[in-house]
Amino acid sequence: MRTTLSFLFAVLSALPALAVEKPEMLKLLAEIDDRQRNGGDYKALVYLEQKEKDKADVVREVLVYRRDADDKLMLLFTQPKSEEGKGILRLDKNLWTYDPGTGKWDRTTERERIGGTNTRRSDFDESRLAEEYEPSFGGEAKLGKFDTLVLDLKVKDGIDVAYPILKLWIDKDNHNILKRQEFALSGKLARTSYYPKWQKLFSESKNAELWFPGEIRIFDEIETSNSTLVLMKAVDLHSLDQNLFTKAWLESKSR
Amino acid sequence: MSIFDPILWLIALRSLLQHRVRTALLGAAVAVVTALLVSLAGIYVGMKETLLVSATTLMSGHVNVAGFYKSTQSSSAPVVTQYKQLREIVQKDVPELDYVVQRGRGWAKLISDTGSMQVGIGGIDVVNEPGFIKVVQLKSGSLEGLKRPDGLLLFEEQAKKLGVQVGDELTFSAATYKGTNNTIDVTVVAIAANIGMLSGWNTFMSDEGLRKLYQLNDETTGALQIYLKDIRQVKPVQERLRKSFAAAGFELMDADPRPFWTKFDSANRESWTGQKLDITNWEDETSFVQWFVTILTVVATTVIFVLTVIIGVGIMNVMWISIRERTREIGTLRAVGMQRTSVLAMFVTEGFLLGIIGTIIGVVTGALVSSALTSAHIVLPKGAQMVLMSEKLIVAPTLGWIVFAVVFITGSITLISLIPSLRAAQMKPVTAMSHVG
């Protein structure tokens, strides 16, 4: 009897969780993207705390500007003093970095790290999961006290992203991402991010609520002693100046 | 009486011997300056040689065919596509060729259990790199291991910083040229002795491993490194290759004598896409450290110049004294028929003799000291290693520098001795003979 029960328990445990079909997963990703997308303008004050082995912790203050309708993005570093005036600007498909020390603009790829931290452009930009990745169901899991759906994402052919494989833990109740793992091309785990605090604001331009992570904790899984804490403060959805997303505007901030 | 008259030389020699102390002091001063010049030249030559060896082993051929490939305006990859076709052109158009190798180039973070560092990676096909095998001195492990796709060669200092030894595993983390993050796990298969400062940030792995990390195809590499039988042919070969590649339909970047990694910014700023070739030589690729050599040259030249002036002034003063002491003798010689030119030649010969004896003693001393210092394998402090680009002190004066030291210092002393000698030659016999004191 005891053997039969053990066998039954083993069989039941081995059964996969009720799989979520692909259209549902795509719908879920589209919903996640849509909740974080703002039709109009967006401004946020962001603090980045970078911890690295054998180095003093560095806190950076950055202003993030977005105009999602035109796919525009700009970052302006305001602290520490040594990085004040540095900026990142996306113009069309190019990402430009500006250093007021040299007065030079350099073109970089969209996948590069921001200001030497573990963050990337995609951490501050609108979410494009449905557009860039193909999902597959990874089961259900308990993350602390939260019940989550696990989705495995693989980049679509012809799309260039920083990490080609993702694993997402999505809160079953409110569909917020709680944990995100990013894998290198080799399949090695490169970065784990936790999203302990989601916040929402009513967006007039969208006529719906805009969700944003109030806090992101990013852990470098290759150089395990490195981590970055991202705090998003003072999110403002009012219209920004029309001429904001220009090289001239960014340069003027350091004059 | 001509300058070749033995009597003239005998008089000059006797005069020097008569004032032994003065001659010894001046001769010693000349010898010290000469020995210093020889030793400084030895350090300069050692530095140049170390730089040449380390540069052409670690990061450059005598001539390099490299460049950038831009799939979009904003992404410059330091790679050469169609390298096999380019290699054929090199083999056809460069009769001075010793051998040519293809090297992958990378810049990645190398992570161990205890530390990490940003390093350059050379993707190497170790079987086809005779120069590399000859120059790299292994402290542990074997170069055979570099045939494995995950084999990694580190230099001593890097291994120490990362806290690893042969057999330990590390991870390379880099972005592919499309910007996607990638990693490769590698195993230390060999640890080599440091080769100057350049070995501080260069590592080597198999070409296959590097291709995997950067997702390169078989037709693409970092650079073709061309080694010539005679390094003096670098410039003409460089010029010829530019013409050959242009004629074969390849686009070329403007000639720019800087290392390839300083050209990312300009390549990124330019709006072209596709492949452009860049032909550089080993001096271009090491121009960022050449300023050390220039500074040392300037410092050494200044020191030698100042010392030569000091010695020159000393010799001039001593000759003034000598002429004053021998004024009556000059008067007598002039009275018995010695010409002004002969008086001039007599004193110039004295200066020349002093110079040649002093410099010969100096070059012998300098060469012996240089040889002893090099043989002692003195390990330099870290700061000095950076400046001299070598882990150990190498002082290797060449024959050319030794001849230069003798000719330059003896010539300077002889020229300086002309001034008091002219004064002596201009004396009237009567005045000179009646001179008292």
Side-chain angles (χ1 to χ4, degrees), chain A residues 52-54 93-96 104-109 111-113 120 159-164 183-188 190 222-224 226, chain B residues 70 72-75 109 111-117 171 173 176-185 212-213 215 265 267-271:
Chain A
E52 278 184 45
K53 193 185 176 191
D54 303 329
K93 285 187 174 178
N94 296 314
L95 198 70
W96 294 87
K104 269 170 60 179
W105 284 92
D106 286 319
R107 201 175 347 214
T108 66
T109 73
R111 275 84 62 194
E112 239 165 69
R113 288 148 59 106
R120 289 191 157 71
I159 291 183
D160 296 329
V161 289
Y163 298 102
F183 298 81
L185 204 57
S186 60
K188 197 181 184 84
I222 297 172
E223 217 174 339
T224 47
N226 296 355
Chain B
K70 292 177 69 170
T72 63
Q73 288 182 0
S74 59
S75 57
K109 197 156 208 184
I111 303 141
S112 72
D113 287 342
T114 54
S116 69
M117 61 193 297
T171 301
S173 173
T176 66
Y177 295 126
K178 284 189 164 185
T180 306
N181 286 280
N182 201 7
T183 61
I184 187 167
D185 292 332
K212 211 168 147 191
L213 179 63
Q215 302 282 297
D265 286 355
N268 275 341
R269 268 195 294 273
E270 291 164 14
S271 56

Side-chain angles (χ1 to χ4, degrees), chain B residues 92-164:
Chain B
K92 185 165 69 74
D93 290 357
V94 183
E96 301 92 336
L97 182 71
D98 186 7
Y99 64 96
V100 56
V101 294
Q102 59 94 8
R103 280 260 185 103
R105 285 172 168 177
W107 183 248
K109 197 156 208 184
L110 182 58
I111 303 141
S112 72
D113 287 342
T114 54
S116 69
M117 61 193 297
Q118 201 73 37
V119 290
I121 318 171
I124 186 170
D125 182 3
V126 74
V127 181
N128 294 317
E129 290 239 20
F132 187 85
I133 296 166
K134 221 185 297 174
V135 171
V136 168
Q137 292 177 0
L138 292 188
K139 289 283 177 177
S140 56
S142 152
L143 285 178
E144 283 290 303
L146 281 181
K147 290 177 186 168
R148 289 165 44 180
D150 68 335
L152 173 72
L153 178 142
L154 291 177
F155 290 92
E156 266 183 313
E157 199 184 327
Q158 298 164 338
K160 201 172 149 193
K161 270 187 195 165
L162 293 165
V164 293

Side-chain angles (χ1 to χ4, degrees), chain B residues 137-349:
Chain B
Q137 292 177 0
L138 292 188
K139 289 283 177 177
S140 56
S142 152
L143 285 178
E144 283 290 303
L146 281 181
K147 290 177 186 168
R148 289 165 44 180
D150 68 335
L152 173 72
L153 178 142
L154 291 177
F155 290 92
E156 266 183 313
E157 199 184 327
Q158 298 164 338
K160 201 172 149 193
K161 270 187 195 165
L162 293 165
V164 293
Q165 49 193 352
V166 170
D168 287 348
E169 288 201 349
L170 299 97
T171 301
F172 268 124
S173 173
T176 66
Y177 295 126
K178 284 189 164 185
T180 306
N181 286 280
N182 201 7
T183 61
I184 187 167
D185 292 332
V186 288
T187 305
V188 181
V189 293
I191 295 175
N194 296 332
I195 311 177
M197 67 188 285
L198 298 182
S199 61
W201 65 79
N202 279 292
T203 63
F204 292 91
M205 68 186 298
S206 75
D207 188 50
E208 191 187 340
L210 190 81
R211 283 177 188 285
K212 211 168 147 191
L213 179 63
Y214 285 97
Q215 302 282 297
L216 299 177
N217 63 31
D218 284 349
E219 283 290 322
T220 305
T221 190
L224 283 178
Q225 294 187 182
I226 299 165
Y227 294 88
L228 305 174
K229 289 171 197 147
D230 181 359
I231 198 169
R232 287 170 299 184
Q233 298 304 313
V234 160
K235 291 278 177 196
V237 167
Q238 220 178 328
E239 283 308 309
R240 198 182 317 137
L241 281 177
R242 286 188 74 84
K243 286 177 189 155
S244 300
F245 291 140
F250 289 95
E251 282 205 55
L252 287 127
M253 292 168 71
D254 293 336
D256 183 357
R258 291 185 298 147
F260 82 94
W261 49 268
T262 62
K263 297 175 185 172
F264 275 92
D265 286 355
S266 49
N268 275 341
R269 268 195 294 273
E270 291 164 14
S271 56
W272 53 270
T273 54
Q275 175 76 62
K276 274 198 181 183
L277 298 178
D278 188 24
I279 318 294
T280 60
N281 61 43
W282 74 273
E283 283 184 310
D284 300 338
E285 294 296 332
T286 55
S287 55
F288 65 103
V289 286
Q290 290 276 359
W291 65 275
F292 277 128
V293 181
T294 310
I295 285 176
L296 188 76
T297 311
V298 170
V299 170
T301 310
T302 311
V303 168
I304 295 300
F305 178 75
V306 169
L307 288 175
T308 307
V309 167
I310 292 169
I311 294 294
V313 170
I315 284 172
M316 200 152 66
N317 274 334
V318 166
M319 290 199 76
W320 280 124
I321 295 164
S322 172
I323 287 161
R324 195 179 167 80
E325 283 172 359
R326 291 161 66 190
T327 305
R328 286 170 67 91
E329 183 190 327
I330 294 166
T332 309
L333 287 169
R334 291 279 288 116
V336 295
M338 188 182 249
Q339 297 298 309
R340 286 180 196 277
T341 49
S342 299
V343 174
L344 174 74
M346 189 175 76
F347 281 98
V348 169
T349 307

Side-chain angles (χ1 to χ4, degrees), chain A residues 37-233:
Chain A
R37 187 174 293 141
N38 184 34
D41 292 347
Y42 170 101
K43 179 185 172 188
L45 176 66
V46 177
Y47 292 96
L48 303 173
E49 187 191 39
Q50 177 72 10
K51 288 178 186 292
E52 278 184 45
K53 193 185 176 191
D54 303 329
K55 285 185 187 170
D57 295 355
V58 182
V59 179
R60 294 174 173 86
E61 187 186 79
V62 188
L63 286 167
V64 177
Y65 300 92
R66 263 166 49 188
R67 182 166 288 156
D68 294 352
D70 298 339
D71 219 13
K72 284 180 173 164
L73 175 76
M74 184 169 71
L75 276 71
L76 172 65
F77 286 78
T78 49
Q79 290 288 344
K81 203 83 185 153
S82 58
E83 297 191 20
E84 193 180 340
K86 282 186 181 175
I88 294 169
L89 174 66
R90 183 170 59 208
L91 285 177
D92 301 320
K93 285 187 174 178
N94 296 314
L95 198 70
W96 294 87
T97 58
Y98 176 67
D99 184 351
T102 58
K104 269 170 60 179
W105 284 92
D106 286 319
R107 201 175 347 214
T108 66
T109 73
E110 287 206 84
R111 275 84 62 194
E112 239 165 69
R113 288 148 59 106
I114 301 288
T117 68
N118 284 316
T119 61
R120 289 191 157 71
R121 187 269 311 156
S122 55
D123 295 317
F124 307 103
D125 208 354
E126 59 179 327
S127 177
R128 295 195 182 101
L129 293 171
E131 190 186 316
E132 294 174 338
Y133 292 92
E134 206 67 66
S136 63
F137 187 59
E140 292 182 8
K142 195 94 173 158
L143 195 66
K145 61 179 182 181
F146 299 99
D147 290 318
T148 63
L149 291 172
V150 181
L151 295 193
D152 294 313
L153 271 56
K154 199 166 173 246
V155 72
K156 289 179 181 172
D157 286 342
I159 291 183
D160 296 329
V161 289
Y163 298 102
I165 304 161
L166 304 182
K167 200 176 184 78
L168 302 178
W169 281 257
I170 301 164
D171 192 329
K172 275 173 90 173
D173 293 337
N174 57 23
H175 294 178
N176 283 328
I177 295 173
L178 296 180
K179 181 180 172 184
R180 173 177 170 136
Q181 284 193 326
E182 286 150 313
F183 298 81
L185 204 57
S186 60
K188 197 181 184 84
L189 177 60
R191 213 172 76 139
T192 299
S193 307
Y194 293 93
Y195 299 79
K197 198 188 285 178
W198 281 92
Q199 292 171 319
K200 58 183 175 179
L201 268 179
F202 184 78
S203 163
E204 283 178 13
S205 54
K206 189 181 174 185
N207 201 22
E209 280 170 333
L210 170 82
W211 287 77
F212 61 92
E215 182 179 326
I216 312 174
R217 291 176 180 270
I218 303 169
F219 296 90
D220 189 330
E221 298 285 4
I222 297 172
E223 217 174 339
T224 47
S225 46
N226 296 355
S227 65
T228 308
L229 170 67
V230 182
L231 294 175
M232 303 238 187
K233 304 276 183 191

